[in-house]
Amino acid sequence: MSWLWRMMLVVTVALVPGAFALLVAYIATRTIRERWQMARLQSHTQGTRVSIRSVISTVELRDLVRQARAAL
């Protein structure tokens, strides 16, 4: 991400009401999508089934914080 895009994102989150909730939703969606792709890949190699519920249950707060730091 370029520094200009990061700066615009920070200013938007600081100034626009509700932007923090959108940022959290974006980060959560990004994390769950990444975990879903990893789980699907592992399920194909192991021959097991995977559900979105099992993927969501593995997401922790520290994962969301790590993704937020990567996004900003």
Short mmCIF file of all heavy atoms in Angstrom, two decimals:
data_model
loop_
_atom_site.label_atom_id
_atom_site.label_comp_id
_atom_site.label_asym_id
_atom_site.label_seq_id
_atom_site.Cartn_x
_atom_site.Cartn_y
_atom_site.Cartn_z
N MET A 1 0.83 -1.17 0.00
CA MET A 1 0.00 0.00 0.00
C MET A 1 0.88 1.24 0.00
O MET A 1 1.85 1.31 0.73
CB MET A 1 -0.86 -0.02 1.27
CG MET A 1 -2.28 0.37 1.05
SD MET A 1 -3.13 0.50 2.62
CE MET A 1 -4.21 -0.88 2.52
N SER A 2 0.55 2.18 -0.81
CA SER A 2 1.35 3.39 -0.85
C SER A 2 1.08 4.25 0.38
O SER A 2 0.05 4.13 1.05
CB SER A 2 1.05 4.18 -2.12
OG SER A 2 -0.22 4.78 -2.03
N TRP A 3 2.01 5.14 0.67
CA TRP A 3 1.86 5.99 1.85
C TRP A 3 0.68 6.93 1.71
O TRP A 3 0.02 7.26 2.70
CB TRP A 3 3.15 6.76 2.11
CG TRP A 3 3.45 7.78 1.03
CD1 TRP A 3 4.15 7.57 -0.12
CD2 TRP A 3 3.03 9.14 1.01
NE1 TRP A 3 4.18 8.71 -0.86
CE2 TRP A 3 3.50 9.70 -0.19
CE3 TRP A 3 2.29 9.92 1.87
CZ2 TRP A 3 3.26 11.01 -0.54
CZ3 TRP A 3 2.06 11.24 1.52
CH2 TRP A 3 2.54 11.78 0.33
N LEU A 4 0.34 7.34 0.47
CA LEU A 4 -0.80 8.24 0.26
C LEU A 4 -2.11 7.53 0.58
O LEU A 4 -2.98 8.09 1.24
CB LEU A 4 -0.79 8.73 -1.19
CG LEU A 4 -1.90 9.71 -1.56
CD1 LEU A 4 -1.79 10.98 -0.73
CD2 LEU A 4 -1.83 10.04 -3.04
N TRP A 5 -2.24 6.29 0.15
CA TRP A 5 -3.44 5.50 0.43
C TRP A 5 -3.58 5.28 1.93
O TRP A 5 -4.67 5.39 2.48
CB TRP A 5 -3.37 4.18 -0.32
CG TRP A 5 -4.51 3.27 -0.02
CD1 TRP A 5 -4.44 2.11 0.67
CD2 TRP A 5 -5.89 3.44 -0.35
NE1 TRP A 5 -5.68 1.54 0.78
CE2 TRP A 5 -6.58 2.35 0.16
CE3 TRP A 5 -6.59 4.42 -1.02
CZ2 TRP A 5 -7.96 2.21 0.01
CZ3 TRP A 5 -7.95 4.26 -1.17
CH2 TRP A 5 -8.62 3.18 -0.67
N ARG A 6 -2.50 4.98 2.61
CA ARG A 6 -2.54 4.78 4.07
C ARG A 6 -2.97 6.05 4.77
O ARG A 6 -3.78 6.02 5.70
CB ARG A 6 -1.19 4.34 4.58
CG ARG A 6 -0.84 2.94 4.20
CD ARG A 6 0.49 2.54 4.76
NE ARG A 6 0.87 1.24 4.26
CZ ARG A 6 1.95 0.62 4.61
NH1 ARG A 6 2.80 1.17 5.43
NH2 ARG A 6 2.23 -0.57 4.11
N MET A 7 -2.42 7.18 4.35
CA MET A 7 -2.77 8.44 4.97
C MET A 7 -4.24 8.78 4.76
O MET A 7 -4.93 9.24 5.68
CB MET A 7 -1.89 9.58 4.42
CG MET A 7 -2.11 10.89 5.12
SD MET A 7 -1.80 10.82 6.89
CE MET A 7 -0.04 10.82 6.92
N MET A 8 -4.76 8.53 3.57
CA MET A 8 -6.18 8.77 3.31
C MET A 8 -7.06 7.87 4.17
O MET A 8 -8.08 8.31 4.68
CB MET A 8 -6.49 8.56 1.83
CG MET A 8 -5.98 9.66 0.94
SD MET A 8 -6.29 9.50 -0.83
CE MET A 8 -7.50 8.26 -1.03
N LEU A 9 -6.65 6.63 4.35
CA LEU A 9 -7.41 5.71 5.18
C LEU A 9 -7.41 6.16 6.63
O LEU A 9 -8.46 6.14 7.29
CB LEU A 9 -6.82 4.30 5.06
CG LEU A 9 -7.59 3.16 5.69
CD1 LEU A 9 -8.98 3.07 5.10
CD2 LEU A 9 -6.85 1.86 5.48
N VAL A 10 -6.28 6.60 7.14
CA VAL A 10 -6.19 7.08 8.53
C VAL A 10 -7.06 8.32 8.73
O VAL A 10 -7.78 8.43 9.72
CB VAL A 10 -4.72 7.34 8.91
CG1 VAL A 10 -4.63 8.09 10.21
CG2 VAL A 10 -3.95 6.04 8.99
N VAL A 11 -7.00 9.25 7.81
CA VAL A 11 -7.80 10.47 7.92
C VAL A 11 -9.29 10.15 7.84
O VAL A 11 -10.09 10.71 8.59
CB VAL A 11 -7.39 11.49 6.83
CG1 VAL A 11 -8.36 12.64 6.75
CG2 VAL A 11 -5.99 12.00 7.10
N THR A 12 -9.66 9.24 6.95
CA THR A 12 -11.06 8.85 6.82
C THR A 12 -11.57 8.22 8.11
O THR A 12 -12.67 8.55 8.58
CB THR A 12 -11.25 7.87 5.65
OG1 THR A 12 -10.77 8.50 4.46
CG2 THR A 12 -12.68 7.47 5.48
N VAL A 13 -10.80 7.34 8.69
CA VAL A 13 -11.21 6.68 9.94
C VAL A 13 -11.32 7.70 11.06
O VAL A 13 -12.22 7.62 11.90
CB VAL A 13 -10.23 5.55 10.31
CG1 VAL A 13 -10.46 5.05 11.72
CG2 VAL A 13 -10.36 4.40 9.32
N ALA A 14 -10.44 8.68 11.07
CA ALA A 14 -10.46 9.69 12.14
C ALA A 14 -11.61 10.68 11.98
O ALA A 14 -12.17 11.13 12.99
CB ALA A 14 -9.13 10.44 12.15
N LEU A 15 -12.00 11.02 10.77
CA LEU A 15 -12.96 12.10 10.55
C LEU A 15 -14.39 11.66 10.27
O LEU A 15 -15.33 12.33 10.67
CB LEU A 15 -12.48 13.00 9.41
CG LEU A 15 -11.16 13.74 9.65
CD1 LEU A 15 -10.81 14.56 8.44
CD2 LEU A 15 -11.24 14.61 10.89
N VAL A 16 -14.56 10.56 9.58
CA VAL A 16 -15.90 10.14 9.17
C VAL A 16 -16.54 9.28 10.25
O VAL A 16 -15.96 8.27 10.67
CB VAL A 16 -15.81 9.36 7.83
CG1 VAL A 16 -17.17 8.84 7.42
CG2 VAL A 16 -15.22 10.23 6.75
N PRO A 17 -17.75 9.68 10.69
CA PRO A 17 -18.44 8.84 11.68
C PRO A 17 -18.79 7.47 11.07
O PRO A 17 -19.27 7.38 9.95
CB PRO A 17 -19.72 9.62 11.99
CG PRO A 17 -19.50 10.98 11.44
CD PRO A 17 -18.48 10.88 10.36
N GLY A 18 -18.52 6.45 11.80
CA GLY A 18 -18.81 5.10 11.34
C GLY A 18 -17.70 4.48 10.51
O GLY A 18 -17.78 3.31 10.14
N ALA A 19 -16.66 5.22 10.21
CA ALA A 19 -15.58 4.68 9.40
C ALA A 19 -14.78 3.63 10.17
O ALA A 19 -14.26 2.69 9.58
CB ALA A 19 -14.66 5.79 8.92
N PHE A 20 -14.70 3.78 11.49
CA PHE A 20 -13.98 2.77 12.28
C PHE A 20 -14.68 1.42 12.18
O PHE A 20 -14.03 0.39 12.04
CB PHE A 20 -13.87 3.22 13.74
CG PHE A 20 -13.12 2.24 14.58
CD1 PHE A 20 -11.75 2.11 14.46
CD2 PHE A 20 -13.78 1.42 15.49
CE1 PHE A 20 -11.04 1.20 15.23
CE2 PHE A 20 -13.09 0.51 16.25
CZ PHE A 20 -11.72 0.40 16.13
N ALA A 21 -16.00 1.44 12.22
CA ALA A 21 -16.75 0.18 12.08
C ALA A 21 -16.51 -0.44 10.71
O ALA A 21 -16.38 -1.66 10.58
CB ALA A 21 -18.23 0.43 12.31
N LEU A 22 -16.45 0.39 9.69
CA LEU A 22 -16.16 -0.13 8.34
C LEU A 22 -14.75 -0.70 8.26
O LEU A 22 -14.53 -1.72 7.61
CB LEU A 22 -16.33 0.99 7.31
CG LEU A 22 -17.76 1.42 7.03
CD1 LEU A 22 -17.77 2.61 6.08
CD2 LEU A 22 -18.56 0.28 6.46
N LEU A 23 -13.81 -0.06 8.92
CA LEU A 23 -12.44 -0.56 8.93
C LEU A 23 -12.37 -1.92 9.63
O LEU A 23 -11.73 -2.85 9.14
CB LEU A 23 -11.50 0.43 9.60
CG LEU A 23 -10.04 0.00 9.70
CD1 LEU A 23 -9.43 -0.10 8.30
CD2 LEU A 23 -9.25 0.96 10.56
N VAL A 24 -13.04 -2.04 10.75
CA VAL A 24 -13.05 -3.32 11.48
C VAL A 24 -13.73 -4.40 10.63
O VAL A 24 -13.26 -5.54 10.58
CB VAL A 24 -13.74 -3.16 12.85
CG1 VAL A 24 -13.98 -4.49 13.51
CG2 VAL A 24 -12.91 -2.25 13.74
N ALA A 25 -14.81 -4.06 9.96
CA ALA A 25 -15.49 -5.03 9.09
C ALA A 25 -14.59 -5.45 7.94
O ALA A 25 -14.54 -6.63 7.58
CB ALA A 25 -16.78 -4.43 8.56
N TYR A 26 -13.87 -4.51 7.36
CA TYR A 26 -12.95 -4.83 6.28
C TYR A 26 -11.85 -5.78 6.75
O TYR A 26 -11.53 -6.77 6.09
CB TYR A 26 -12.33 -3.54 5.72
CG TYR A 26 -11.13 -3.77 4.85
CD1 TYR A 26 -11.27 -4.28 3.57
CD2 TYR A 26 -9.85 -3.48 5.30
CE1 TYR A 26 -10.17 -4.50 2.76
CE2 TYR A 26 -8.75 -3.69 4.51
CZ TYR A 26 -8.91 -4.20 3.24
OH TYR A 26 -7.81 -4.43 2.46
N ILE A 27 -11.29 -5.48 7.91
CA ILE A 27 -10.21 -6.31 8.43
C ILE A 27 -10.71 -7.70 8.78
O ILE A 27 -10.06 -8.71 8.49
CB ILE A 27 -9.55 -5.63 9.64
CG1 ILE A 27 -8.81 -4.37 9.17
CG2 ILE A 27 -8.62 -6.56 10.38
CD1 ILE A 27 -8.37 -3.46 10.28
N ALA A 28 -11.90 -7.79 9.38
CA ALA A 28 -12.46 -9.09 9.72
C ALA A 28 -12.75 -9.90 8.47
O ALA A 28 -12.46 -11.11 8.40
CB ALA A 28 -13.73 -8.91 10.54
N THR A 29 -13.30 -9.26 7.45
CA THR A 29 -13.59 -9.96 6.20
C THR A 29 -12.31 -10.44 5.53
O THR A 29 -12.25 -11.57 5.03
CB THR A 29 -14.35 -9.02 5.24
OG1 THR A 29 -15.54 -8.58 5.90
CG2 THR A 29 -14.70 -9.73 3.95
N ARG A 30 -11.30 -9.61 5.55
CA ARG A 30 -10.01 -9.98 4.95
C ARG A 30 -9.40 -11.18 5.67
O ARG A 30 -8.89 -12.12 5.04
CB ARG A 30 -9.09 -8.77 5.04
CG ARG A 30 -7.75 -8.94 4.47
CD ARG A 30 -7.01 -7.62 4.52
NE ARG A 30 -5.58 -7.85 4.41
CZ ARG A 30 -4.69 -6.90 4.29
NH1 ARG A 30 -5.06 -5.65 4.29
NH2 ARG A 30 -3.42 -7.19 4.19
N THR A 31 -9.47 -11.17 7.00
CA THR A 31 -8.92 -12.27 7.78
C THR A 31 -9.69 -13.56 7.56
O THR A 31 -9.09 -14.62 7.36
CB THR A 31 -8.92 -11.90 9.27
OG1 THR A 31 -8.22 -10.67 9.45
CG2 THR A 31 -8.28 -12.99 10.11
N ILE A 32 -11.01 -13.48 7.57
CA ILE A 32 -11.83 -14.68 7.39
C ILE A 32 -11.64 -15.24 5.99
O ILE A 32 -11.55 -16.46 5.81
CB ILE A 32 -13.31 -14.37 7.69
CG1 ILE A 32 -13.47 -14.12 9.19
CG2 ILE A 32 -14.21 -15.49 7.23
CD1 ILE A 32 -14.82 -13.60 9.58
N ARG A 33 -11.55 -14.37 4.99
CA ARG A 33 -11.33 -14.84 3.62
C ARG A 33 -10.00 -15.56 3.50
O ARG A 33 -9.91 -16.62 2.86
CB ARG A 33 -11.36 -13.66 2.66
CG ARG A 33 -11.21 -14.06 1.22
CD ARG A 33 -11.42 -12.86 0.31
NE ARG A 33 -11.16 -13.23 -1.05
CZ ARG A 33 -10.07 -12.89 -1.72
NH1 ARG A 33 -9.16 -12.13 -1.15
NH2 ARG A 33 -9.89 -13.27 -2.96
N GLU A 34 -8.96 -15.03 4.11
CA GLU A 34 -7.64 -15.67 4.08
C GLU A 34 -7.69 -17.03 4.76
O GLU A 34 -7.17 -18.02 4.24
CB GLU A 34 -6.63 -14.77 4.76
CG GLU A 34 -5.23 -15.33 4.82
CD GLU A 34 -4.29 -14.40 5.57
OE1 GLU A 34 -4.43 -13.18 5.42
OE2 GLU A 34 -3.44 -14.92 6.32
N ARG A 35 -8.33 -17.08 5.93
CA ARG A 35 -8.45 -18.36 6.65
C ARG A 35 -9.28 -19.37 5.87
O ARG A 35 -8.99 -20.56 5.87
CB ARG A 35 -9.09 -18.13 8.02
CG ARG A 35 -8.25 -17.36 8.98
CD ARG A 35 -7.13 -18.26 9.50
NE ARG A 35 -6.29 -17.54 10.41
CZ ARG A 35 -6.36 -17.63 11.73
NH1 ARG A 35 -7.24 -18.42 12.29
NH2 ARG A 35 -5.53 -16.94 12.48
N TRP A 36 -10.34 -18.89 5.20
CA TRP A 36 -11.20 -19.77 4.41
C TRP A 36 -10.42 -20.41 3.27
O TRP A 36 -10.54 -21.60 3.01
CB TRP A 36 -12.39 -18.98 3.88
CG TRP A 36 -13.28 -19.75 2.97
CD1 TRP A 36 -13.39 -19.61 1.63
CD2 TRP A 36 -14.19 -20.80 3.32
NE1 TRP A 36 -14.31 -20.49 1.12
CE2 TRP A 36 -14.81 -21.23 2.14
CE3 TRP A 36 -14.52 -21.42 4.52
CZ2 TRP A 36 -15.75 -22.25 2.13
CZ3 TRP A 36 -15.46 -22.43 4.50
CH2 TRP A 36 -16.07 -22.84 3.33
N GLN A 37 -9.59 -19.63 2.60
CA GLN A 37 -8.79 -20.16 1.50
C GLN A 37 -7.77 -21.18 2.01
O GLN A 37 -7.57 -22.23 1.38
CB GLN A 37 -8.08 -19.03 0.77
CG GLN A 37 -9.01 -18.17 -0.03
CD GLN A 37 -8.33 -16.98 -0.67
OE1 GLN A 37 -7.20 -16.67 -0.34
NE2 GLN A 37 -9.02 -16.32 -1.58
N MET A 38 -7.15 -20.91 3.16
CA MET A 38 -6.20 -21.87 3.72
C MET A 38 -6.91 -23.15 4.13
O MET A 38 -6.40 -24.25 3.90
CB MET A 38 -5.47 -21.26 4.92
CG MET A 38 -4.48 -20.21 4.53
SD MET A 38 -3.50 -19.44 5.86
CE MET A 38 -4.08 -20.12 7.36
N ALA A 39 -8.08 -23.03 4.73
CA ALA A 39 -8.83 -24.21 5.17
C ALA A 39 -9.29 -25.04 3.98
O ALA A 39 -9.25 -26.28 4.03
CB ALA A 39 -10.03 -23.78 6.01
N ARG A 40 -9.72 -24.39 2.91
CA ARG A 40 -10.13 -25.12 1.71
C ARG A 40 -8.95 -25.87 1.10
O ARG A 40 -9.09 -27.03 0.68
CB ARG A 40 -10.72 -24.18 0.69
CG ARG A 40 -12.12 -23.75 1.03
CD ARG A 40 -12.75 -22.88 -0.02
NE ARG A 40 -12.72 -23.55 -1.31
CZ ARG A 40 -12.72 -22.91 -2.47
NH1 ARG A 40 -12.72 -21.61 -2.50
NH2 ARG A 40 -12.71 -23.58 -3.60
N LEU A 41 -7.80 -25.25 1.08
CA LEU A 41 -6.61 -25.90 0.55
C LEU A 41 -6.24 -27.12 1.39
O LEU A 41 -5.94 -28.19 0.85
CB LEU A 41 -5.44 -24.91 0.50
CG LEU A 41 -4.14 -25.43 -0.09
CD1 LEU A 41 -4.33 -25.73 -1.57
CD2 LEU A 41 -3.04 -24.42 0.12
N GLN A 42 -6.28 -26.98 2.71
CA GLN A 42 -5.96 -28.10 3.59
C GLN A 42 -7.00 -29.20 3.48
O GLN A 42 -6.68 -30.38 3.57
CB GLN A 42 -5.85 -27.62 5.03
CG GLN A 42 -4.62 -26.80 5.30
CD GLN A 42 -4.57 -26.30 6.73
OE1 GLN A 42 -5.51 -26.47 7.49
NE2 GLN A 42 -3.47 -25.65 7.08
N SER A 43 -8.27 -28.82 3.30
CA SER A 43 -9.31 -29.85 3.21
C SER A 43 -9.16 -30.67 1.93
O SER A 43 -9.46 -31.86 1.92
CB SER A 43 -10.70 -29.21 3.27
OG SER A 43 -10.97 -28.50 2.08
N HIS A 44 -8.69 -30.05 0.86
CA HIS A 44 -8.47 -30.80 -0.38
C HIS A 44 -7.32 -31.79 -0.24
O HIS A 44 -7.38 -32.90 -0.77
CB HIS A 44 -8.19 -29.86 -1.55
CG HIS A 44 -9.40 -29.14 -2.04
ND1 HIS A 44 -10.48 -29.77 -2.59
CD2 HIS A 44 -9.70 -27.83 -2.05
CE1 HIS A 44 -11.38 -28.90 -2.93
NE2 HIS A 44 -10.94 -27.69 -2.61
N THR A 45 -6.29 -31.40 0.48
CA THR A 45 -5.15 -32.30 0.64
C THR A 45 -5.43 -33.41 1.63
O THR A 45 -4.94 -34.52 1.47
CB THR A 45 -3.90 -31.52 1.09
OG1 THR A 45 -4.15 -30.87 2.32
CG2 THR A 45 -3.48 -30.51 0.03
N GLN A 46 -6.24 -33.13 2.65
CA GLN A 46 -6.53 -34.13 3.68
C GLN A 46 -7.81 -34.91 3.41
O GLN A 46 -8.06 -35.92 4.05
CB GLN A 46 -6.63 -33.46 5.05
CG GLN A 46 -5.33 -32.84 5.49
CD GLN A 46 -5.47 -32.08 6.80
OE1 GLN A 46 -6.57 -31.93 7.32
NE2 GLN A 46 -4.36 -31.60 7.32
N GLY A 47 -8.63 -34.43 2.51
CA GLY A 47 -9.87 -35.12 2.18
C GLY A 47 -10.96 -34.93 3.21
O GLY A 47 -11.84 -35.77 3.34
N THR A 48 -10.92 -33.84 3.96
CA THR A 48 -11.95 -33.56 4.96
C THR A 48 -12.83 -32.43 4.48
O THR A 48 -12.53 -31.74 3.51
CB THR A 48 -11.32 -33.17 6.31
OG1 THR A 48 -10.50 -32.02 6.11
CG2 THR A 48 -10.48 -34.31 6.85
N ARG A 49 -13.93 -32.20 5.19
CA ARG A 49 -14.84 -31.10 4.87
C ARG A 49 -14.56 -29.93 5.78
O ARG A 49 -14.16 -30.11 6.93
CB ARG A 49 -16.28 -31.54 5.03
CG ARG A 49 -16.68 -32.60 4.01
CD ARG A 49 -18.12 -32.90 4.11
NE ARG A 49 -18.85 -31.65 3.91
CZ ARG A 49 -20.09 -31.57 3.51
NH1 ARG A 49 -20.76 -32.67 3.28
NH2 ARG A 49 -20.69 -30.41 3.34
N VAL A 50 -14.79 -28.75 5.28
CA VAL A 50 -14.58 -27.54 6.06
C VAL A 50 -15.84 -26.69 5.98
O VAL A 50 -16.53 -26.67 4.96
CB VAL A 50 -13.34 -26.76 5.57
CG1 VAL A 50 -13.54 -26.25 4.17
CG2 VAL A 50 -13.00 -25.63 6.50
N SER A 51 -16.17 -26.03 7.09
CA SER A 51 -17.34 -25.16 7.10
C SER A 51 -16.90 -23.75 7.49
O SER A 51 -15.86 -23.55 8.12
CB SER A 51 -18.39 -25.66 8.09
OG SER A 51 -17.91 -25.53 9.41
N ILE A 52 -17.70 -22.79 7.11
CA ILE A 52 -17.39 -21.40 7.44
C ILE A 52 -17.45 -21.19 8.95
O ILE A 52 -16.71 -20.37 9.50
CB ILE A 52 -18.32 -20.42 6.69
CG1 ILE A 52 -17.82 -18.98 6.79
CG2 ILE A 52 -19.73 -20.50 7.19
CD1 ILE A 52 -16.59 -18.71 6.03
N ARG A 53 -18.28 -21.96 9.61
CA ARG A 53 -18.39 -21.86 11.07
C ARG A 53 -17.08 -22.26 11.75
O ARG A 53 -16.64 -21.62 12.70
CB ARG A 53 -19.52 -22.75 11.54
CG ARG A 53 -19.86 -22.61 12.97
CD ARG A 53 -21.06 -23.46 13.31
NE ARG A 53 -21.52 -23.15 14.64
CZ ARG A 53 -22.54 -23.74 15.19
NH1 ARG A 53 -23.20 -24.66 14.53
NH2 ARG A 53 -22.89 -23.42 16.41
N SER A 54 -16.45 -23.31 11.26
CA SER A 54 -15.18 -23.73 11.84
C SER A 54 -14.08 -22.72 11.56
O SER A 54 -13.18 -22.54 12.38
CB SER A 54 -14.79 -25.11 11.32
OG SER A 54 -14.54 -25.06 9.94
N VAL A 55 -14.16 -22.07 10.41
CA VAL A 55 -13.16 -21.05 10.08
C VAL A 55 -13.33 -19.84 10.98
O VAL A 55 -12.35 -19.31 11.52
CB VAL A 55 -13.27 -20.66 8.59
CG1 VAL A 55 -12.40 -19.46 8.28
CG2 VAL A 55 -12.91 -21.82 7.71
N ILE A 56 -14.54 -19.38 11.17
CA ILE A 56 -14.80 -18.21 12.01
C ILE A 56 -14.42 -18.49 13.46
O ILE A 56 -13.93 -17.60 14.16
CB ILE A 56 -16.27 -17.77 11.89
CG1 ILE A 56 -16.51 -17.21 10.48
CG2 ILE A 56 -16.63 -16.73 12.93
CD1 ILE A 56 -17.94 -16.88 10.19
N SER A 57 -14.59 -19.71 13.90
CA SER A 57 -14.27 -20.04 15.29
C SER A 57 -12.76 -20.00 15.57
O SER A 57 -12.35 -19.90 16.72
CB SER A 57 -14.84 -21.40 15.67
OG SER A 57 -14.16 -22.43 14.98
N THR A 58 -11.94 -20.06 14.53
CA THR A 58 -10.49 -20.03 14.74
C THR A 58 -9.91 -18.62 14.71
O THR A 58 -8.75 -18.43 15.06
CB THR A 58 -9.77 -20.86 13.67
OG1 THR A 58 -10.01 -20.30 12.39
CG2 THR A 58 -10.21 -22.31 13.71
N VAL A 59 -10.70 -17.63 14.31
CA VAL A 59 -10.20 -16.25 14.24
C VAL A 59 -10.12 -15.67 15.65
O VAL A 59 -11.08 -15.74 16.41
CB VAL A 59 -11.11 -15.38 13.34
CG1 VAL A 59 -10.67 -13.93 13.36
CG2 VAL A 59 -11.12 -15.92 11.93
N GLU A 60 -8.97 -15.11 15.96
CA GLU A 60 -8.75 -14.51 17.28
C GLU A 60 -8.49 -13.03 17.14
O GLU A 60 -8.18 -12.53 16.06
CB GLU A 60 -7.56 -15.18 17.97
CG GLU A 60 -7.78 -16.66 18.24
CD GLU A 60 -6.57 -17.31 18.86
OE1 GLU A 60 -5.52 -16.64 19.01
OE2 GLU A 60 -6.66 -18.50 19.19
N LEU A 61 -8.59 -12.32 18.24
CA LEU A 61 -8.40 -10.87 18.24
C LEU A 61 -6.99 -10.50 17.79
O LEU A 61 -6.80 -9.53 17.04
CB LEU A 61 -8.68 -10.29 19.62
CG LEU A 61 -8.56 -8.78 19.75
CD1 LEU A 61 -9.53 -8.08 18.82
CD2 LEU A 61 -8.77 -8.34 21.17
N ARG A 62 -6.01 -11.27 18.18
CA ARG A 62 -4.63 -10.95 17.79
C ARG A 62 -4.45 -11.07 16.28
O ARG A 62 -3.63 -10.36 15.69
CB ARG A 62 -3.63 -11.80 18.54
CG ARG A 62 -3.67 -13.25 18.19
CD ARG A 62 -2.62 -14.03 18.93
NE ARG A 62 -2.79 -15.43 18.65
CZ ARG A 62 -2.46 -16.38 19.47
NH1 ARG A 62 -1.92 -16.09 20.62
NH2 ARG A 62 -2.64 -17.63 19.14
N ASP A 63 -5.20 -11.97 15.63
CA ASP A 63 -5.15 -12.08 14.18
C ASP A 63 -5.71 -10.82 13.52
O ASP A 63 -5.18 -10.33 12.53
CB ASP A 63 -5.92 -13.30 13.68
CG ASP A 63 -5.35 -14.60 14.21
OD1 ASP A 63 -4.12 -14.66 14.40
OD2 ASP A 63 -6.13 -15.53 14.45
N LEU A 64 -6.79 -10.30 14.10
CA LEU A 64 -7.38 -9.08 13.57
C LEU A 64 -6.45 -7.89 13.76
O LEU A 64 -6.33 -7.04 12.88
CB LEU A 64 -8.73 -8.81 14.23
CG LEU A 64 -9.83 -9.85 13.95
CD1 LEU A 64 -11.09 -9.50 14.72
CD2 LEU A 64 -10.11 -9.96 12.48
N VAL A 65 -5.78 -7.83 14.90
CA VAL A 65 -4.83 -6.75 15.15
C VAL A 65 -3.66 -6.85 14.18
O VAL A 65 -3.21 -5.83 13.64
CB VAL A 65 -4.35 -6.77 16.62
CG1 VAL A 65 -3.21 -5.81 16.84
CG2 VAL A 65 -5.50 -6.46 17.57
N ARG A 66 -3.19 -8.05 13.94
CA ARG A 66 -2.08 -8.24 12.99
C ARG A 66 -2.50 -7.81 11.58
O ARG A 66 -1.72 -7.14 10.89
CB ARG A 66 -1.68 -9.72 12.99
CG ARG A 66 -0.43 -10.00 12.21
CD ARG A 66 0.01 -11.46 12.29
NE ARG A 66 0.12 -11.90 13.67
CZ ARG A 66 -0.47 -13.01 14.16
NH1 ARG A 66 -1.21 -13.76 13.39
NH2 ARG A 66 -0.31 -13.35 15.42
N GLN A 67 -3.71 -8.13 11.17
CA GLN A 67 -4.20 -7.71 9.87
C GLN A 67 -4.40 -6.20 9.80
O GLN A 67 -4.16 -5.58 8.75
CB GLN A 67 -5.51 -8.42 9.53
CG GLN A 67 -5.36 -9.86 9.17
CD GLN A 67 -4.65 -10.05 7.85
OE1 GLN A 67 -4.63 -9.17 6.99
NE2 GLN A 67 -4.06 -11.21 7.67
N ALA A 68 -4.82 -5.59 10.90
CA ALA A 68 -4.99 -4.14 10.93
C ALA A 68 -3.63 -3.45 10.76
O ALA A 68 -3.52 -2.46 10.04
CB ALA A 68 -5.64 -3.71 12.23
N ARG A 69 -2.63 -3.96 11.40
CA ARG A 69 -1.29 -3.39 11.25
C ARG A 69 -0.78 -3.56 9.82
O ARG A 69 -0.13 -2.69 9.28
CB ARG A 69 -0.32 -4.04 12.22
CG ARG A 69 -0.53 -3.59 13.63
CD ARG A 69 0.47 -4.22 14.56
NE ARG A 69 0.26 -3.78 15.92
CZ ARG A 69 0.80 -4.36 16.96
NH1 ARG A 69 1.62 -5.38 16.81
NH2 ARG A 69 0.56 -3.90 18.17
N ALA A 70 -1.11 -4.68 9.21
CA ALA A 70 -0.70 -4.89 7.83
C ALA A 70 -1.45 -3.98 6.87
O ALA A 70 -0.89 -3.53 5.87
CB ALA A 70 -0.92 -6.36 7.44
N ALA A 71 -2.71 -3.69 7.18
CA ALA A 71 -3.50 -2.82 6.32
C ALA A 71 -3.08 -1.37 6.44
O ALA A 71 -3.18 -0.61 5.49
CB ALA A 71 -4.99 -2.96 6.65
N LEU A 72 -2.63 -0.99 7.61
CA LEU A 72 -2.21 0.40 7.81
C LEU A 72 -0.72 0.44 7.80
O LEU A 72 -0.02 1.26 7.55
CB LEU A 72 -2.74 0.95 9.13
CG LEU A 72 -4.26 1.01 9.24
CD1 LEU A 72 -4.64 1.47 10.62
CD2 LEU A 72 -4.82 1.95 8.20
#
